[in-house]
Amino acid sequence: KADGRGRFCIATPEMNDMFRLRHEIERDLRRAVAEGGQFQVLYQPIFDAEGGMVAAEALVRWTHPVRGVLGPESFIGIAEDTGLIEPIGLWVLDQACVLAATSGLPKISVNVSPIQLRRAGFAEEVLARLAAHRLPGHRLELEVTEKRALDTGSETLSNFDRLRAAGVSIALDDFATGQSLLRYVRDYQIDTIKIDRSFVARLGSGDGTDQIVRAILDLGRAMGIEVTAEGVENAAQREALLGMGCHVFQGFLLGRPMDALRLAALSARHRPS
Ligand code: C2E
Ligand code: CA
Ligand code: CA
Ligand code: CA
């Protein structure tokens, strides 16, 4: 603040605007969570090499009363800082369970924040929802991003343990963009690695990307970890990945995020063999 006596603080008009915007989003987000009806979940299909839809990833959207449809990048961070990610995350999970229970989709993939994972009782909440929808654990995968530091505390670990004991699988999202990927692979029992789309985008560019992707695929094979390529946008990328031994693909080439009805219909036409 400019009037703070004796305090050294610089606030430019741009910063004031940023703080105001953030404050406003936070207020509206609280209201949206309290009142409901403003969030929507889209689903992006995930295919195997034979064209079977093996899973779909739940991706949240927020229709702000004034600003229109907002992607997760513009509110998940604020939701994490305020704890609102907990009710939002459980709501997304609930929606995803409805889709899994009412369609033959083999597996539904849901993003979870490290904030959710570090709370005691998170695993039980997830398992209670699965039970309410009569879904076995293996129909759910939880995606944990590597971009934000994962809590290595005991609550996170025991949540992982209880979820995995119930058959829920764990995916390491945005792989190779974080700081401690190999430690996570060693310390947590990971079922799936998702190669970040920044790598897929640079395949064949001769800058070492191909070698890194091959190494990730080798790591997966050696440790019995499934590897999914994210952000597959064209056939050349899919071919290159297939040639390297990658068998699971997600990206605009195969399908954009879509609503539950369309996803269910698409899934019915692409049952994995
Ligand atoms: P993510 O988990 O890496 O999800 C994939 C993102 O890449 C999605 O963006 C998706 O629309 C986009 N995408 C998929 N295929 C392609 C492609 O071929 N090319 C390009 N350029 N982009 C592609 P979206 O929906 O904006 O989500 C952004 C991030 O927000 C997600 O990244 C995820 O980390 C987070 N997120 C989304 N939903 C949730 C949620 O319910 N809970 C939490 N905690 N995070 C969420
Ligand atoms: Ca994800
Ligand atoms: Ca990702
Ligand atoms: Ca495995």
Side-chain angles (χ1 to χ4, degrees):
K1 289 206 174 70
D3 57 351
R5 278 162 302 159
R7 267 175 289 158
F8 182 71
C9 187
I10 302 164
T12 64
E14 291 76 24
M15 278 167 74
N16 281 328
D17 283 351
M18 264 176 54
F19 290 134
R20 201 173 304 125
L21 175 65
R22 198 192 150 84
H23 190 260
E24 207 181 293
I25 299 261
E26 183 179 326
R27 179 201 62 199
D28 296 344
L29 197 57
R30 277 185 205 288
R31 195 170 296 160
V33 167
E35 292 172 4
Q38 292 181 21
F39 296 104
Q40 192 195 1
V41 185
L42 297 183
Y43 300 88
Q44 187 175 29
I46 301 173
F47 289 96
D48 65 17
E50 290 75 45
M53 196 193 293
V54 290
E57 176 176 3
L59 296 162
V60 70
R61 300 287 180 266
W62 173 24
T63 306
H64 185 280
V66 179
R67 297 175 190 279
V69 179
L70 300 181
E73 311 284 12
S74 48
F75 66 90
I76 290 292
I78 296 175
E80 288 180 325
D81 293 344
T82 53
L84 291 167
I85 192 65
E86 300 201 29
I88 295 171
L90 284 178
W91 182 82
V92 171
L93 175 67
D94 234 1
Q95 300 297 114
C97 284
V98 171
L99 174 64
T102 56
S103 71
L105 186 65
K107 188 182 274 191
I108 189 79
S109 214
V110 176
N111 293 287
V112 290
S113 158
I115 308 289
Q116 295 173 274
L117 277 164
R118 72 177 185 212
R119 200 169 53 73
F122 173 71
E124 284 64 35
E125 267 171 0
V126 170
L127 297 179
R129 271 168 176 79
L130 285 175
H133 294 281
R134 299 176 194 283
L135 287 169
H138 71 260
R139 303 276 305 276
L140 177 67
E141 181 157 87
L142 296 180
E143 299 193 4
V144 188
T145 182
E146 214 205 39
K147 278 185 177 140
R148 294 178 129 230
L150 196 57
D151 202 320
T152 46
S154 59
E155 283 311 336
T156 297
L157 274 174
S158 76
N159 276 321
F160 271 139
D161 284 346
R162 280 170 295 172
L163 288 163
R164 293 195 85 259
V168 175
S169 51
I170 308 293
L172 203 46
D173 205 357
D174 311 315
F175 193 74
T177 61
Q179 292 140 22
S180 40
L181 54 136
L182 295 173
R183 186 162 58 79
Y184 291 166
V185 172
R186 186 197 59 196
D187 293 351
Y188 302 95
Q189 286 194 32
I190 301 295
D191 301 280
T192 305
I193 284 172
K194 299 191 79 170
I195 300 180
D196 190 69
R197 68 168 183 264
S198 59
F199 285 85
V200 174
R202 281 160 66 170
L203 282 171
S205 63
D207 65 353
T209 296
D210 293 31
Q211 286 82 347
I212 293 171
V213 169
R214 276 207 182 83
I216 296 172
L217 288 160
D218 282 344
L219 177 74
R221 270 188 295 271
M223 298 190 72
I225 298 173
E226 192 88 57
V227 180
T228 301
E230 290 191 296
V232 181
E233 294 185 346
N234 58 57
Q237 290 167 344
R238 186 182 174 282
E239 288 313 305
L241 288 159
L242 205 52
M244 294 176 180
C246 182
H247 297 114
V248 187
F249 311 98
Q250 178 178 3
F252 293 167
L253 172 71
L254 303 128
R256 296 210 169 224
M258 60 187 86
D259 65 35
L261 272 177
R262 286 189 55 212
L263 194 286
L266 191 65
S267 146
R269 294 199 301 275
H270 297 274
R271 294 272 180 249
S273 48

